[in-house]
Amino acid sequence: QIMDTHSPYFPIPEVAGTWATDVPFDETSTFPSQEDEIRDLYAAGTPGLVEAVNGVYDEQILGLDHELLRLRRVLNDFNVQKDTLVVITADHGEMLGEDGRFGHMSDLDTRLVHVPLILWYDGLPPQTQNCLSENVDTLPTLLSALGIAVPDTLDGHPLQAGCRSYARSSIYLRDGTVGELMVEDGTNRLSWNCVEPRVNFEHPDGQPPTQVQAKALFDELQAFHDDVIAHVPGQEQCQFPTWEQVL
């Protein structure tokens, strides 16, 4: 398991300085103190901060590329590449100064929940699935790739079978209160931010959903919202909009 793209941002020597040559924060500090320092520097209006954060993050991705190349060479050297399934994925994205936000503990923004899932295995034919998925889909997808039956007890969906036709719901809690609610059906996603407040429709291709699709998701999200409000104390401030307001 490699977590080199996670904070604290500290690129490996081979790539350090490729893009970020003047870093105003301490690259040797730990998590979460480095993120706190970055937020403080942003609040103080430190020039070049956002560029530096993006630079060191890109350098960490470049460092990960180096490690994956090294892994491939090792697999080839030991002649086990045909018996090894390599998985490249993540549990979250990262805010790098967009809207003044840093880190990943803020909401269900696409830049935080849109992560890669790449399977590299000699026995797999090339395939791309342009679906909305979740990390619970990873295990069923791996089992399916290896020809192992997916147990009915798993929550996830093997992506080789195509996009899901049923809806899933998610909730983001901020300091014990509802920050954002989201439903998605494998093709479209609808989220409601209780803090902003705002409603956001998304589609993997960037195409807006049809009005029928949007209304179906809206009804799912409204039911989910009402259930959350009924079971989580003190959430009355999260007032859900009407369909007419969304339109």
Side-chain angles (χ1 to χ4, degrees):
Q1 184 183 22
I2 302 174
M3 291 188 64
D4 283 350
T5 53
H6 199 287
S7 59
Y9 308 132
F10 185 62
I12 60 175
E14 293 89 334
V15 301
T18 302
W19 293 293
T21 56
D22 186 15
V23 180
F25 54 88
D26 183 4
E27 292 183 87
T28 64
S29 61
T30 58
F31 174 83
S33 60
Q34 188 190 74
E35 283 190 6
D36 293 338
E37 180 189 2
I38 290 173
R39 293 188 183 99
D40 290 342
L41 289 171
Y42 182 83
T46 304
L49 176 67
V50 173
E51 292 78 7
V53 170
N54 279 266
V56 293
Y57 193 79
D58 287 344
E59 288 171 2
Q60 291 195 141
I61 295 175
L62 181 59
L64 179 59
D65 289 344
H66 281 242
E67 294 302 315
L68 291 173
L69 179 59
R70 189 165 65 91
L71 173 62
R72 181 171 183 175
R73 288 170 177 165
V74 170
L75 295 177
N76 288 334
D77 290 344
F78 285 90
N79 198 30
V80 293
Q81 71 278 7
K82 293 184 178 180
D83 301 314
T84 304
L85 172 61
V86 178
V87 182
I88 303 173
T89 188
D91 58 340
H92 59 77
E94 196 85 344
M95 300 299 288
L96 302 171
E98 300 91 344
D99 305 321
R101 291 183 289 169
F102 297 89
H104 55 269
M105 295 183 288
S106 54
D107 54 26
L108 297 173
D109 190 287
T110 301
R111 291 163 289 196
L112 296 177
V113 300
H114 187 190
V115 298
L117 176 59
I118 303 171
L119 308 186
W120 169 32
Y121 181 51
D122 276 7
L124 286 179
Q127 184 182 11
T128 300
Q129 285 290 5
N130 196 20
C131 299
L132 291 172
S133 62
E134 296 180 337
N135 281 350
V136 292
D137 299 322
T138 302
L139 180 55
T141 301
L142 297 183
L143 294 177
S144 181
L146 296 172
I148 301 173
V150 179
D152 294 335
T153 52
L154 289 182
D155 290 334
H157 171 82
L159 297 178
Q160 295 91 335
C163 301
R164 277 182 296 102
S165 58
Y166 56 91
R168 283 198 189 126
S169 56
S170 304
I171 181 172
Y172 176 82
L173 294 176
R174 179 184 299 170
D175 298 327
T177 61
V178 175
E180 191 160 1
L181 305 175
M182 180 178 72
V183 294
E184 48 95 2
D185 61 7
T187 306
N188 299 286
R189 174 184 291 135
L190 171 62
S191 61
W192 161 242
N193 190 303
C194 300
V195 180
E196 302 281 333
R198 57 180 166 79
V199 173
N200 188 35
F201 284 105
E202 296 176 65
H203 186 282
D205 290 328
Q207 300 296 324
T210 66
Q211 185 160 328
V212 172
Q213 292 172 324
K215 183 61 166 65
L217 278 178
F218 179 87
D219 291 343
E220 287 273 356
L221 187 58
Q222 186 173 41
F224 180 44
H225 165 269
D226 294 344
D227 187 50
V228 169
I229 296 303
H231 291 87
V232 181
Q235 305 304 312
E236 294 77 13
Q237 79 284 356
C238 184
Q239 297 297 318
F240 200 72
T242 65
W243 175 242
E244 289 72 22
Q245 288 174 321
V246 172
L247 290 178

